[in-house]
Amino acid sequence: MTERHPATERLSARAVAGAIADDSTFSELPAAIRDSKPDGPLGWPGYDALRARAAERTGEQESVVCGTARVGGTRAVLISFEFGFLGGSLGERTGDRLEAAYTYAREHRLPVVPLVATGGSRMQEGMLALTQLQRVARQSALTREAGLAQVAVVRDPTTGGGWATLGAGADVILALPGAQVGFAGSRVRPADADPAAYTAEAQVGAGAADAVVRPEELRETLGRWLRLLTCPSGTPAPPPEPLGDDAGLPATGWDAVRRARSPRRPRAAAYLDAYFSDRAAISGDRCGGTDPDGMLCGLGTHEGRTVAYAAQTGTATRPAGYRTAARLIRLADRLGIPVLTLVDTPGAANDAAAERQGAGAAIADLFGAVADARTPVTTLVIGEGGSGGALALAAPGNTWATPDSYFSVIAPELAAAILKRPPREVEATADQLRIRPQDLVELGVIRGTVGP
C-alpha cells in the first residue's frame, strides 16, 4: 500500500481556508438556494440519501465553501473544495456557488483563489453536472477580462474538469507536494499508466503548474502572489543600473562581442537580485514545456511597486522559454503591471528538437505579445543580443543597453561565413555590422546606454 504524502492529508474546506487566511478574516458568502427534484435532476435513485450522508459527515451542504478573507493583508475571494462531500464533485448547486463567488469578486474588484480538491463532475447529475464546467469557464473568463487575478492552489486530488477549469485555467498555479493532479483520475487511467505522471511535481516539470509549495509555506507564498498581482501601475519600469566592468563603451565591434561573452560578466540572476527587493517566479508555457536554464520569468517588487520580468540567461533560448515570456507579458498587460525584459542570448535554440517544439511559432508569439502590450515594457540588453531570438524580447522604442553588451542581426562569425570571408576577417565584420551600444544609439535602435 502506498503511503500518503504528509502534505496531501485531506483537510476540510474550512480548515484549508482557515490555514491560509489571516486570523479571523474568513467570512462565508451567502449560498445560493436551488429547488431540485427528488434525487436530483436525473432522479438518480438514492442520490438524496447520498447527499444527506455527505452533509452529516462533513457538516457542509455542498462540495465548495466560498467566502472572503485577507491573505497576507490582501483581500480575496476563496473557493475551498470539500473533498469529503461526494469527492468534491461538481453539480448544479456547486455551479451556483461558484458563479456567485466569481460575480462577487468582480463586483468588489477582488482576486479569486480556488483551493481545489475534486474528483471531477458528479455522475448522479449526468450531463447537467458536466456543463457546469462551461459555466465555471465563463465566470473565469469574465473575471480575467475584468483584470482580476486568479491564483489556484491544487490539493490532493485535483482531477477531471476541476483541474481543467479552476486549476489549470488560473493565472498562477501552486500545488501541494505529492498531490494527485491530472485530467484523468486514478480509476479511469490506462492500467499501465505511470502514476508519477499524475502528480503535482510532474505537472510543474511539464510546465502546467508554477511551483510546489509546502503547506507551512502556503500562506506566505499565496500572500506574496496576491500582493504582487494586485498592484497595477502605469509608469514604465526604469532600466537597471549596469553591474559589469567600468571600462566604458567598447572601442571596436569585436571588443563589444568579447566583453558580452566574458564568463565573468553578470548574468540575469544577478541583475534581478539587485533590482528587486523580493520576487516570485512563474514556470512553464502551459503547453508541456519549461526553459529554466534559458528564461527567468515572474513578478517582483522594485522601489515599492510590482514589476513583471522576463530575462534571458545567456544561453540559447528554447521555444518553451519564449512561450513562458509571452504568457508573463500577457498576464502583466491584463493586470496593468509594467514589464522589464533583459536580453542576453546568442540566439534562439536551433537544433532539431527546437524546431519540433515550434521555435518559429514561439518566437512569433512573443513578438506579438510585446507588440500588443498596452502596459509599458522596458528592455535592457545586458549581454549578447543575438538576432531575432533576442529582438523578440525587446521593447520597440524603450530598449537600453549596458556598456558590456552588443546587439546584432547575426553573430559576426556567422556573418563572415555567409559572406564567404576567411576567419581573419571576423573582427572587421563585427565593426561593419555596427553592433556596439553607441552604434545602436546612433542608428536609433536603442534609446541609450545605462551607467556613466
Side-chain angles (χ1 to χ4, degrees):
M1 181 175 177
T2 303
E3 278 192 33
R4 181 179 297 282
H5 193 291
T8 64
E9 292 300 326
R10 289 174 183 156
L11 299 178
S12 71
R14 293 181 191 275
V16 171
I20 67 165
D22 298 348
D23 293 343
S24 303
T25 61
F26 181 76
S27 176
E28 189 173 357
L29 293 172
I33 304 298
R34 172 189 286 262
D35 293 329
S36 62
K37 301 174 184 177
D39 285 329
L42 304 185
W44 188 284
Y47 182 36
D48 282 348
L50 278 174
R51 288 197 292 199
R53 288 196 295 271
E56 183 179 1
R57 184 169 57 251
T58 63
E60 304 297 346
Q61 296 302 309
E62 249 309 326
S63 58
V64 292
V65 175
C66 303
T68 63
R70 291 193 178 275
V71 182
T74 302
R75 191 164 176 252
V77 168
L78 306 187
I79 297 172
S80 189
F81 276 72
E82 177 55 69
F83 189 78
F85 193 101
L86 302 183
S89 57
L90 281 75
E92 286 186 311
R93 291 179 179 178
T94 323
D96 291 343
R97 293 190 176 203
L98 294 171
E99 182 173 305
Y102 274 100
T103 300
Y104 185 94
R106 291 194 299 275
E107 290 173 346
H108 294 82
R109 304 293 304 164
L110 299 177
V112 179
V113 181
L115 306 165
V116 190
T118 175
S121 300
R122 196 169 298 171
M123 290 183 297
Q124 294 86 350
E125 296 187 23
M127 279 301 299
L128 292 175
L130 190 65
T131 59
Q132 300 308 304
L133 302 180
Q134 295 172 317
R135 192 177 179 189
V136 172
R138 174 63 176 163
Q139 291 302 312
S140 178
L142 290 171
T143 303
R144 191 178 302 116
E145 187 178 287
L148 300 170
Q150 299 171 67
V151 183
V153 177
V154 291
R155 300 151 53 205
D156 183 57
T158 297
T159 61
W163 165 237
T165 53
L166 290 147
D171 299 315
V172 175
I173 305 167
L174 309 176
L176 294 184
Q180 179 188 172
V181 181
F183 185 65
S186 59
R187 297 184 184 181
V188 298
R189 298 170 192 154
D192 59 351
D194 179 6
Y198 302 85
T199 63
E201 290 77 7
Q203 297 294 352
V204 171
D210 292 292
V212 172
V213 181
R214 293 185 297 178
E216 63 270 23
E217 297 173 350
L218 185 57
R219 178 191 288 190
E220 180 183 354
T221 301
L222 191 53
R224 181 185 306 118
W225 270 115
L226 290 174
R227 175 177 52 80
L228 290 169
L229 293 168
T230 56
C231 293
S233 170
T235 305
E241 292 297 314
L243 300 179
D245 62 55
D246 56 1
L249 293 170
T252 66
W254 188 248
D255 184 38
V257 172
R258 180 183 55 78
R259 288 170 61 180
R261 292 177 180 173
S262 170
R264 296 183 299 276
R265 176 180 56 76
R267 306 284 169 161
Y271 274 92
L272 296 175
D273 286 343
Y275 192 81
F276 292 108
S277 56
D278 73 300
R279 54 190 172 100
I282 68 166
S283 176
D285 61 4
R286 300 294 186 263
C287 300
T290 62
D291 186 17
D293 298 325
M295 185 78 78
L296 306 177
C297 296
L299 294 95
T301 304
H302 175 73
E303 296 181 351
R305 66 192 184 107
T306 300
V307 174
Y309 64 85
Q312 291 170 318
T313 63
T315 64
T317 309
R318 303 206 66 80
Y322 291 114
R323 285 192 286 261
T324 304
R327 173 191 156 212
L328 181 280
I329 291 169
R330 290 192 174 103
L331 172 61
D333 188 50
R334 181 157 44 79
L335 300 180
I337 295 170
V339 178
L340 170 69
T341 66
L342 301 180
V343 169
D344 186 8
T345 180
N350 57 6
D351 52 36
E355 292 297 340
R356 284 193 294 268
Q357 293 159 9
I363 294 169
D365 188 43
L366 181 54
F367 268 119
V370 173
D372 287 341
R374 295 157 298 178
T375 197
V377 181
T378 303
T379 298
L380 180 64
V381 185
I382 62 171
E384 290 195 81
S387 194
L391 188 66
L393 201 59
N398 198 26
T399 292
W400 304 76
T402 63
D404 53 354
S405 69
Y406 78 90
F407 216 147
S408 180
V409 63
I410 192 170
E413 299 92 333
L414 298 179
I418 290 171
L419 296 171
K420 299 181 180 180
R421 293 178 176 180
R424 65 177 181 275
E425 294 187 25
V426 167
E427 295 185 16
T429 302
D431 282 332
Q432 285 184 292
L433 288 169
R434 301 198 65 192
I435 60 179
R436 301 174 303 169
Q438 59 268 45
D439 296 326
L440 301 172
V441 173
E442 186 178 336
L443 293 169
V445 174
I446 67 173
R447 286 185 63 178
T449 59
V450 293

